[in-house]
Amino acid sequence: MKHIAYPVVFSFLISVILQLLPFPAHAFLGGDTPSPVRAELFSAGQEDGTLVVGLHLTMDDGWHVYWQNPGEAGMPVKINWELPEGYHAGPLAFPAPESFDGGGMTGYGFEGEVVLFSTIHHEAGPGTDGFGEDLFPLRASVEWLACSDLCIPGSAELVLVSSRPDQERLPLGSHWRSRLPLQAPGDILAADGAVLEQQGNAFVIRLGFSGTEAGNIRAYYPLTPAGGIDFDGIRTGQGGVVIPLRGTEAPESLSGVVVTSEKAYHVEFPEVTVSPAGLSGNPQAAGTWGALFSMLGLAFAGGMLLNVMPCVLPVLGLKVFSLIGPAGADTAHRHTSGRMLSLVFAGGVIFSFWVLAASVLVLKGMGEQIGWGFQFQSPAFIMFIATVVFAFGLNLFGVFEFSAPVVSGKLGKAASHHDSFGAFVSGVLATTLATPCTAPFLGTALGFAFSQPPLLILLFFTVIAIGMSAPYVILAWHPAWLKFLPRPGEWMYRFKQVMGFILMAVVVWLASLLGTHGGAAAMVNLFLLLFIVAFIFWVIGLQTGPGTPTGKQFLVWTVSLAVTVGAYAQLMPESSPVSS
């Protein structure tokens, strides 16, 4: 009976784990894992010597892509053309979007399907045949961020084969072109002014309109600049729009898209003026302390809840394993070890969130629109983190061990603890894998944080990191609360191996993300890199066992990492073209 129990229990645990992972089971059971978004180009005809091209995006049920202003989170769809000399492309034209809520953050975009429009111009201008068949095919690269319960970046290399209008898709193109924002005549819809008003301790911007459509406004979608706006609280009615502010920033001007019962119109307010009634406080400061502390509380709670989100599941078991301590150690040693490792793990989490905060500040300074999980837009990052997760899995399988060189004194005794580096890396890994997911309360706090000055952004990311690592630290410093966990023993080694298989499943999921950027070729490059890494770390395990001199360890690790970096640089993925 004992021999039957272990396989049954492990099979049950694995089946439960597969249901909780942030990707479907067929992602690593050999099934096909297509992108949730499919893209194609088609010609919508020529107008005044300009070629109009439709970009048709089709999303799976429950998935959406983002508008030119994605809202509080997300990335807009982008297209880059490869055009011959004498041709250039205009900005991508977006129809009026719809709004949706994801993890407490308001976003703007499209579900089901959408057609965006790109115009290609010829320098010779109207009256010339600048789009003859000899010009084609034309190539374009498209990037998007698709979100459901988690967000997956995607890209495609598309080909436009002709300028002749696609008769089959023209009705679809006409439908979406009717939703493109127009410049409204003044008698239809005129922007009368934007006024900053005070309502209690809160501040709002009231947009006034006139014209025959002023009483039929259904929605307002702000464009940049939009710092300080509470996207979720925008209200329409009575011939105007009310935009609540939050945080410490009020925009000096506004532009956006107004949707009426008939059409969508582009509107601009060059200046936001102060209400004649005046303000009893400063919108840059009044009423913000209460909001700030409440949002910091949400950030802390959201950080704690990240620990139970599917994205963090693969390293959750590793944290519990570290709390228990190594088999064969006495209770006092396990408790001391667990406390130290909890602080090291927290340090890894906080360090990772500081790196994310610094990246956010740099990208915001460059004028980029960023959101939670933005780094997964980069194929280079996906390949890098897949390699790190794979190496961590090899460590759990016992292929090699993390060990610090032996140095003298008390510092050397602390540094040589064989789990310290692993705990720090575990904190970094947990943070990295958490970013494609969001947790309750976290979205609201992040939406608030992204509109704040740099120091407050850093504060919010620090609080989220403290919240994420707090349960681990608290349990480590109160070991009596761990009595529900089994005692150390042989099962711990089996548990490590099961966690190793889960990390390998995460690698397959990351490979599928990489495949959305570069197709099968990118995935093959990744698997080749992982093969090289597996061999390198096998050699490290052979050459850096217990008792190995420090000089030899340093040489082996230096050479091995140099070879790994070289292989990574050679195998960076490239997108493969997709005809349309």
Side-chain angles (χ1 to χ4, degrees), residues 233-275:
I234 296 176
R235 305 187 304 276
T236 62
Q238 299 180 351
V241 176
V242 177
I243 305 174
L245 300 181
R246 64 183 180 188
T248 60
E249 187 178 355
E252 297 179 356
S253 62
L254 282 172
S255 63
V257 171
V258 169
V259 178
T260 71
S261 56
E262 297 293 331
K263 295 284 186 179
Y265 300 99
H266 179 75
V267 294
E268 294 207 27
F269 297 87
E271 182 182 10
V272 177
T273 60
V274 178
S275 169

Side-chain angles (χ1 to χ4, degrees), residues 43-53 87-91 117-131 135-136 163 165 177:
S43 172
Q46 298 185 45
E47 296 179 356
D48 299 326
T50 297
L51 178 63
V52 180
V53 181
Y87 294 83
H88 68 276
F117 295 93
S118 180
T119 54
I120 300 177
H121 306 267
H122 184 220
E123 291 181 356
T128 61
D129 185 15
F131 298 98
L135 178 67
F136 297 88
S163 63
R177 291 188 74 177

Side-chain angles (χ1 to χ4, degrees), residues 71-93:
E72 294 177 300
M75 303 283 180
V77 179
K78 298 179 181 179
I79 185 170
N80 291 300
W81 287 92
E82 298 178 13
L83 299 175
E85 186 176 355
Y87 294 83
H88 68 276
L92 195 60

Side-chain angles (χ1 to χ4, degrees), residues 189-190 192-193 206-211 213-217 235-242:
L189 187 71
D192 292 340
R206 189 178 298 276
L207 307 182
F209 296 90
S210 60
E213 285 291 290
N216 298 322
I217 296 176
R235 305 187 304 276
T236 62
Q238 299 180 351
V241 176
V242 177

Side-chain angles (χ1 to χ4, degrees), residues 24 79 341 375 460 463 502 507:
I79 185 170
L341 293 180
Q375 70 274 24
F460 268 88
V463 171
I502 294 176
V507 172

Side-chain angles (χ1 to χ4, degrees), residues 23-195:
F23 45 85
H26 60 72
F28 56 89
L29 292 179
D32 188 20
T33 56
S35 168
V37 179
R38 290 158 296 283
E40 59 180 352
L41 297 175
F42 67 90
S43 172
Q46 298 185 45
E47 296 179 356
D48 299 326
T50 297
L51 178 63
V52 180
V53 181
L55 170 59
H56 184 205
L57 299 174
T58 306
M59 287 71 74
D60 288 345
D61 290 342
W63 291 85
H64 58 261
V65 296
Y66 289 93
W67 190 49
Q68 60 194 100
N69 175 19
E72 294 177 300
M75 303 283 180
V77 179
K78 298 179 181 179
I79 185 170
N80 291 300
W81 287 92
E82 298 178 13
L83 299 175
E85 186 176 355
Y87 294 83
H88 68 276
L92 195 60
F94 289 77
E98 54 189 316
S99 62
F100 37 75
D101 179 84
M105 290 184 281
T106 299
Y108 301 138
F110 310 94
E111 295 179 317
E113 67 174 351
V114 66
V115 177
L116 313 179
F117 295 93
S118 180
T119 54
I120 300 177
H121 306 267
H122 184 220
E123 291 181 356
T128 61
D129 185 15
F131 298 98
E133 294 304 309
D134 58 335
L135 178 67
F136 297 88
L138 295 178
R139 299 179 181 274
S141 59
V142 181
E143 297 180 355
W144 62 80
L145 183 68
C147 291
S148 179
D149 295 330
L150 72 161
C151 293
I152 300 177
S155 64
E157 296 291 323
L158 305 179
V159 177
L160 182 67
V161 296
S162 175
S163 63
R164 291 191 300 272
D166 189 323
Q167 298 299 325
E168 182 179 347
R169 293 181 177 85
L170 280 182
L172 179 68
S174 298
H175 166 73
W176 285 101
R177 291 188 74 177
S178 68
R179 293 182 56 176
L180 291 175
L182 307 173
Q183 293 292 341
D187 60 333
I188 301 295
L189 187 71
D192 292 340
V195 180

